[in-house]
Amino acid sequence: MPYYQTWEEFARAAEKLYLADPMKVRVVLKYRHCDGNLCIKVTDNAVCLQYKTDQAQDVKKIEKLHGKLMRLMVSKETHSGSMEMD
């Protein structure tokens, strides 16, 4: 499972994976204090997307994407359009 090198590629791929089948996608966040790394993994058991960072500005981006995905997952309406990445 390789890691994405750029945030933009990862965010685009994660959005596409979620919108393809929202019922199968799950998101995992893992922080390793000894390394100072935060890893986000988005998977549907067939495709696994990963991004790892130790930069504060990337942590904020991960937090924002994670929040948007969680809001989409708990909303009752269907999502045929794409998420807006501010």
Side-chain angles (χ1 to χ4, degrees):
M1 294 180 287
Y3 289 93
Y4 276 82
Q5 298 299 315
T6 64
W7 171 253
E8 291 77 19
E9 289 177 9
F10 174 79
R12 217 174 305 120
E15 174 185 350
K16 185 177 177 183
L17 184 64
Y18 176 78
L19 293 174
D21 193 357
M23 296 304 292
K24 289 186 179 179
V25 173
R26 65 183 185 272
V27 179
V28 178
L29 284 173
K30 181 169 66 172
Y31 177 71
R32 288 183 45 109
H33 181 70
C34 60
D35 299 333
N37 288 331
L38 179 65
C39 178
I40 182 169
K41 179 167 71 169
V42 180
T43 184
D44 68 352
N45 290 337
V47 178
C48 183
L49 311 173
Q50 293 184 347
Y51 183 78
K52 181 169 42 174
T53 188
D54 59 356
Q55 302 297 312
Q57 63 268 22
D58 288 342
V59 172
K60 293 291 185 184
K61 292 175 187 176
I62 289 173
E63 182 181 16
K64 191 173 183 178
L65 175 66
H66 189 252
K68 284 183 179 183
L69 288 173
M70 293 300 111
R71 282 191 298 276
L72 284 172
M73 288 178 186
V74 299
S75 69
K76 293 182 180 181
E77 56 194 52
T78 59
H79 308 286
S80 59
S82 65
M83 298 185 314
E84 291 182 20
M85 297 299 297
D86 295 324

